[in-house]
Amino acid sequence: MVATEDSAEGRLLPHERHLRILEQARARSRVEVSALAEELEVTTETIRRDLSILERQGQLRRVHGGAVHVQRLGYEPTVNARREHQTSQKSRIGRIARDYLPDGGSILVDSGTTTLELVRQLPADLAVSVVTNSLQAASLLVDLPRVELMLLGGRIRNVTGAAVGSWTASALASLRVDVAFIGANGITPEAGLTTPDQAEAEIKRAMVDAAAQVVCLADYTKVGRTQLCRFAGLSEVDVLITDTGLDAGLAAELSAAGPEVIRA
């Protein structure tokens, strides 16, 4: 049966179709436009639009006749590369995250471009102790007069500028903070929070364990993706702050797994 545009669009919601495409891209070496169109009962034009959207989100890389999942390419963008994506959404997420800052308390700030937006928007008069493994965050925090800054030591990953390893984990094991602001490369109801690198996953896990409250900051392109290393379940996350690019139905699925979901 050849699908028409009208009948095709009614079978699955766009975000459901995108999740199906990503599942196939992760399971195979590549996905083909014609095969996806037949499988999902949509036109090839619909699939091409879907692949373009997913490529702009950084989840697929278009190739002739189809696409390849970025994990298949062994691709992990650097901090500088990721900084250019979803900038307005990350800024809004950072502003909302300020509502969870404890005045006079202590926080952990994970490495990542979205958590860095929170650091950029810290109130100048806020008295808070900040522990971070991010060189970029530390360089901004050091100039704030009422911030007591503690930079975690360890091996620095040049991809992310994050301290990782046994020194970092050992320091975190002795800490208990009010709030941890954590980033993630992938978020699904089933897998929870994931990231591509095992060393970073271990440190993120240690941050979750060290915090009384866990707030995850992630733009909507991270939702529906599963990376190699799982470091937390959604039931361990108190709040997920994302943006309005996240479909309301998918936000409800995430919320049912544990956290309060806020779309900034």
Side-chain angles (χ1 to χ4, degrees):
M1 180 184 70
V2 178
T4 65
E5 194 70 20
D6 290 339
S7 65
E9 296 293 350
R11 297 180 184 277
L12 291 174
L13 294 173
H15 85 272
E16 295 173 326
R17 202 167 56 243
H18 294 170
L19 289 176
R20 291 277 293 276
I21 292 171
L22 288 173
E23 287 172 2
Q24 295 297 340
R26 281 192 290 266
R28 308 168 184 174
S29 60
R30 60 180 281 163
V31 289
E32 303 288 343
V33 170
S34 57
L36 287 171
E38 182 177 355
E39 182 177 337
L40 299 177
E41 299 184 27
V42 296
T43 64
T44 55
E45 289 77 12
T46 295
I47 293 297
R48 289 191 182 96
R49 286 200 300 271
D50 290 339
L51 296 182
S52 295
I53 291 169
L54 292 169
E55 183 176 51
R56 288 197 298 272
Q57 294 174 0
Q59 302 192 68
L60 294 179
R61 184 74 59 83
R62 293 292 301 274
V63 296
H64 181 68
V68 178
H69 196 278
V70 292
Q71 287 179 252
R72 290 285 183 179
L73 301 174
Y75 176 66
E76 184 182 0
T78 64
V79 168
N80 288 335
R82 284 184 285 126
R83 191 173 295 151
E84 304 303 319
H85 295 286
Q86 308 295 326
T87 52
S88 62
Q89 292 92 332
K90 291 174 181 178
S91 180
R92 293 200 303 272
I93 291 169
R95 286 197 296 272
I96 295 296
R98 291 183 302 187
D99 293 341
Y100 295 89
L101 291 167
D103 192 0
S106 57
I107 65 173
L108 269 166
V109 177
D110 188 15
S111 64
T113 54
T114 311
T115 51
L116 196 61
E117 282 303 313
L118 168 63
V119 171
R120 293 182 192 281
Q121 300 185 51
L122 283 181
D125 60 347
L126 180 69
V128 66
S129 297
V130 182
V131 183
T132 185
N133 68 330
S134 167
L135 294 180
Q136 292 85 357
S139 69
L140 297 174
L141 290 163
V142 72
D143 292 326
L144 297 181
R146 302 195 69 194
V147 167
E148 181 182 8
L149 172 63
M150 286 162 275
L151 177 61
L152 295 165
R155 175 176 65 85
I156 304 299
R157 290 193 74 224
N158 58 5
V159 175
T160 59
V164 297
S166 58
W167 289 356
T168 321
S170 177
L172 284 167
S174 64
L175 297 179
R176 185 67 174 171
V177 301
D178 296 309
V179 187
F181 294 94
I182 306 290
N185 301 78
I187 303 171
T188 67
E190 300 79 16
L193 308 186
T194 56
T195 194
D197 184 75
Q198 183 179 17
E200 292 219 26
E202 291 173 351
I203 298 309
K204 290 175 184 290
R205 175 69 246 175
M207 289 183 171
V208 170
D209 290 339
Q213 183 180 38
V214 176
V215 179
C216 179
L217 311 182
D219 68 79
Y220 83 101
T221 66
K222 308 302 191 304
V223 178
R225 303 171 69 174
T226 303
Q227 300 291 345
L228 179 64
C229 302
R230 180 181 187 273
F231 64 89
L234 282 178
S235 62
E236 300 174 281
V237 178
D238 297 286
V239 183
L240 168 61
I241 306 176
T242 182
D243 59 84
T244 53
L246 180 65
D247 176 82
L250 192 50
E253 288 184 40
L254 296 173
S255 181
E260 176 187 2
V261 178
I262 298 172
R263 297 189 297 159

